[in-house]
C-alpha cells in the first residue's frame, strides 16, 4: 500500500489562526486574558447573545453545568445509552446517578421512552446531539416543563447544528460545546457552556477558577485589584488565551466547515446507497440542519464480518475508521456499579457493536473519498 494513512478526522487550521497563536505567545499573556474574553464575546454573539463561558474542555463544561444545578446524592440525570463516556462520567462526578434511555433509528435518544424513565429523584435530562444531528428538543423541553426538570444539552458534536430553524445554544436551558481537535471547530482542547441563567453563570465562573470570585486577568492587569475572596473549593478549568487564539479564527470559519462536511456526507450517501452490508445514517422527520460531525454507518449481517474485522481490514488499506461509540452500559465500571445487562438497551448495544465513523473533515478531497469507498467495496466484497 503506497497511499498515505488517511485519518477519520483532521483539524483544519488557517495560517491566520497560527499567526494569532504566535502573536499571543509573543504578547507575554498566554493564559486566560483578552483573547478568551474576545472568544467568549464571539461565542455569545454566535448563540443569539446568550452568555458564553469558555473552559478547558466540554467534559469540564458538563461537570460544572451539573454542579451548578447542585445535585443531591441519589439525584438522577437521564441520558442516552449511546454517547461518549464523558456524558456519564460527569453526571457521577457532579454527584448524580445516570439513568439511561435507549436510542432510536437516528442513533439519538428515543424521546418516546424518556417519560417512563422519570422518577421523583430525576433532576435533569441530558440529551446528546449525536453525530451533529439535533435531538427532538420540543419533546424534551415539554417533558422538562411538565416534570420541572433542568436540561443540559451535550452539544459537544453539534456546534452550528440547527433544530427547526434555530441554532442549538440560541434557546433552551444549558448547552455545552466542545473544541477538541476532532470536533467541527477546535481550540486544541477546549469547551464552552452557553446559557442565560444568571445563577448558573455565576456558579460556573467561580467553579472554573479555584472558587475565586474574580478572574486572574483582573487580578494581574494594571487596572485590576489584587484582592479576591474564595467562596468555595473550585476547579482549574479555565481556557488559555493560546487556545482562544485558535477559536477566534475557527468560529468564523465554522459555517464553511459545515458546508464542506455536508457536501461530503451527501456524496457518501450517494456512493454507498443500497449496499447490503451497510445501514446508512437515518434522518428524522422534523426540520433540522445536520452539522455532520460524524458520518456513521452500521454494518449489517450481510457484511459477513464483525466491525472490528472491518476496522482492521480498512487499516490495511491505510484508512482510519473511528468507533463512536461502544454502548455506555457495557463498560465494566457502569455495568458493575448499576448492574446493567447488555439487553437493557438493545438498540444502543447493537449500534455500538456495528457502528463505524468514515473519514470526514473539511479538507477531505473527492479523490480521497472515492478511495475510502473503493477500499470499503474491496473489504466488504
Ligand atoms: C467529545 C465529546 C465530549 C467531550 O468533549 P471534550 O471537549 O473532549 O471534553 C462529551 N460528549 C460528547 C458527546 C462528545 O462527543
Amino acid at each position: 500500500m503506497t497511499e498515505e494513512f488517511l485519518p477519520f478526522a483532521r483539524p483544519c487550521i488557517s495560517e491566520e489562526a497560527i499567526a494569532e497563536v504566535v502573536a499571543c505567545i509573543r504578547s507575554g499573556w498566554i493564559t486566560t486574558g483578552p483573547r478568551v474574553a474576545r472568544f467568549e464575546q464571539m461565542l455569545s454573539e454566535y448563540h443569539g447573545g446568550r452568555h458564553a463561558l469558555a473552559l478547558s474542555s466540554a467534559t469540564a463544561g458538563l461537570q460544572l453545568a451539573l454542579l451548578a444545578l447542585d445535585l443531591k446524592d441519589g439525584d438522577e440525570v437521564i441520558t442516552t445509552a449511546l454517547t461518549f463516556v464523558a456524558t456519564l462520567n460527569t453526571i457521577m462526578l457532579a454527584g448524580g446517578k445516570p439513568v439511561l434511555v435507549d436510542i432510536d433509528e437516528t442513533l439519538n435518544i428515543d424521546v418516546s421512552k424518556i417519560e417512563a424513565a422519570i422518577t421523583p429523584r430525576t433532576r435533569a435530562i441530558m440529551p446528546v446531539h449525536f453525530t451533529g444531528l439535533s435531538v427532538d428538543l420540543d419533546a424534551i423541553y415539554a417533558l422538562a416543563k411538565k416534570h420541572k426538570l433542568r436540561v443540559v444539552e451535550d452539544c459537544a458534536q453539534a456546534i452550528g447544528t440547527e433544530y427547526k430553524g434555530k441554532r442549538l445554544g440560541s434557546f433552551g436551558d444549558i448547552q455545552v460545546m466542545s473544541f477538541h481537535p476532532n470536533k467541527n471547530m477546535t481550540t486544541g482542547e477546549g469547551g464552552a457552556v452557553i446559557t442565560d441563567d444568571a445563577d448558573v453563570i455565576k456558579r460556573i465562573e467561580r467553579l472554573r477558577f479555584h472558587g475565586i470570585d474574580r478572574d486572574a486577568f483582573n487580578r494581574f492587569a494594571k487596572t485590576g485589584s489584587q484582592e479576591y475572596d474564595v467562596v468555595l473549593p473550585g476547579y482549574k478549568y479555565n481556557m488559555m488565551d493560546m487556545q482562544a487564539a485558535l477559536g477566534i479564527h475557527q468560529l468564523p470559519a465554522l459555517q464553511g466547515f459545515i458546508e464542506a462536511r455536508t457536501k461530503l456526507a451527501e456524496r457518501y450517501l450517494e456512493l454507498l446507497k443500497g449496499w447490503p452490508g451497510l445501514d446508512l445514517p437515518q434522518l428524522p422527520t422534523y426540520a433540522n440542519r445536520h452539522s455532520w460531525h460524524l458520518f456513521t454507518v452500521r454494518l449489517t449481517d450481510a457484511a459477513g464480518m464483525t466491525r472490528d474485522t472491518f476496522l482492521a481490514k480498512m487499516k490495511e488499506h491505510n484508512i482510519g475508521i473511528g468507533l463512536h461509540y461502544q454502548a455506555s452500559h457495557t463498560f465494566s465500571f457502569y455495568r458493575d456499579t448499576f448492574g446493567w445487562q447488555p439487553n437493557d438497551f438493545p438498540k444502543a448495544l447493537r449500534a455500538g457493536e456495528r457502528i463505524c465513523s468514515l473519514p470526514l473533515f473539511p479538507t477531505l478531497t473527492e479523490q480521497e473519498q472515492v478511495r475510502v469507498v473503493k477500499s470499503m467495496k474491496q473489504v466488504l466484497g
Side-chain angles (χ1 to χ4, degrees):
M1 226 29 77
T2 50
E3 284 154 312
E4 216 181 303
F5 182 73
L6 184 66
F8 88 90
R10 182 184 274 160
C12 181
I13 297 170
S14 67
E15 286 307 316
E16 287 84 353
I18 294 168
E20 186 83 37
V21 176
V22 173
C24 171
I25 294 168
R26 292 220 164 100
S27 77
W29 195 280
I30 59 181
T31 189
T32 314
R35 285 182 170 84
V36 168
R38 190 164 140 212
F39 183 46
E40 285 183 331
Q41 181 59 37
M42 291 171 71
L43 282 169
S44 166
E45 281 163 20
Y46 187 79
H47 294 105
R50 293 169 84 242
H51 202 87
L53 296 138
L55 297 161
S56 52
S57 68
T59 303
L62 292 169
Q63 187 188 357
L64 297 193
L66 289 162
L67 281 169
L69 302 185
D70 204 14
L71 301 182
K72 300 285 180 286
D73 201 33
D75 278 355
E76 296 171 355
V77 178
I78 294 174
T79 192
T80 170
L82 190 69
T83 182
F84 183 50
V85 290
T87 315
L88 275 73
N89 287 348
T90 52
I91 292 170
M92 295 201 70
L93 290 171
K97 178 184 171 205
V99 170
L100 301 186
V101 168
D102 210 355
I103 56 169
D104 65 20
E105 272 312 295
T106 67
L107 304 180
N108 271 330
I109 191 167
D110 185 341
V111 293
S112 72
K113 293 192 177 134
I114 294 177
E115 193 155 29
I118 295 174
T119 75
R121 296 309 306 268
T122 307
R123 286 288 313 284
I125 307 174
M126 208 154 128
V128 178
H129 304 285
F130 190 63
T131 73
L133 174 67
S134 174
V135 167
D136 189 0
L137 286 173
D138 283 350
I140 302 251
Y141 279 103
L143 283 172
K145 193 171 175 200
K146 181 173 165 193
H147 297 274
K148 297 192 168 55
L149 305 175
R150 299 301 299 259
V151 179
V152 179
E153 297 174 41
D154 182 340
C155 297
Q157 304 187 357
I159 188 164
T161 292
E162 290 174 17
Y163 172 73
K164 297 189 178 174
K166 292 181 289 184
R167 183 174 287 162
L168 300 189
S170 68
F171 64 99
D173 195 356
I174 306 173
Q175 294 78 29
V176 181
M177 311 293 170
S178 173
F179 311 124
H180 179 276
N182 285 354
K183 302 292 159 71
N184 281 15
M185 61 167 277
T186 189
T187 58
E189 295 282 356
V193 173
I194 314 292
T195 186
D196 50 17
D197 182 318
D199 187 50
V200 169
I201 294 164
K202 193 169 148 195
R203 284 168 183 252
I204 293 177
E205 276 175 340
R206 289 167 169 178
L207 284 165
R208 74 174 163 181
F209 199 71
H210 307 289
I212 289 174
D213 72 347
R214 182 183 278 246
D215 69 39
F217 183 61
N218 284 344
R219 276 191 294 126
F220 299 124
K222 204 166 145 195
T223 52
S225 147
Q226 298 275 13
E227 282 170 40
Y228 62 84
D229 189 22
V230 176
V231 293
L232 49 80
Y235 297 83
K236 181 95 194 306
Y237 287 166
N238 54 305
M239 178 182 277
M240 297 188 290
D241 267 22
M242 279 198 287
Q243 296 168 294
L246 287 179
I248 59 188
H249 291 274
Q250 287 270 294
L251 187 58
L254 179 61
Q255 178 79 10
F257 292 161
I258 294 174
E259 281 165 15
R261 286 173 175 277
T262 304
K263 273 210 190 90
L264 291 162
E266 282 167 355
R267 199 184 296 128
Y268 269 138
L269 286 170
E270 191 58 39
L271 293 171
L272 301 171
K273 197 167 61 188
W275 289 27
L278 295 180
D279 278 335
L280 297 179
Q282 300 288 308
L283 299 174
T285 50
Y286 48 83
N288 72 91
R289 181 184 187 235
H290 204 313
S291 61
W292 291 108
H293 167 56
L294 297 173
F295 188 92
T296 52
V297 297
R298 284 168 287 164
L299 298 186
T300 66
D301 292 339
M305 71 184 72
T306 66
R307 188 261 320 285
D308 296 341
T309 302
F310 176 70
L311 259 53
K313 289 194 170 179
M314 289 299 286
K315 210 179 228 173
E316 286 170 17
H317 285 250
N318 259 340
I319 292 172
I321 304 286
L323 198 185
H324 309 91
Y325 298 94
Q326 182 185 325
S328 304
H329 65 293
T330 62
F331 289 106
S332 65
F333 172 73
Y334 288 104
R335 194 181 59 210
D336 298 347
T337 303
F338 299 111
W340 287 329
Q341 300 297 314
N343 276 316
D344 286 354
F345 312 101
K347 288 183 177 165
L349 178 75
R350 188 176 161 85
E353 287 170 350
R354 290 160 182 268
I355 207 161
C356 317
S357 306
L358 305 189
L360 181 64
F361 46 87
T363 54
L364 184 77
T365 65
E366 187 166 353
Q367 208 178 359
E368 287 171 322
Q369 195 176 25
V370 168
R371 192 187 133 202
V372 173
V373 173
K374 255 194 197 150
S375 293
M376 287 174 71
K377 193 154 234 166
Q378 279 176 27
V379 167
L380 293 171

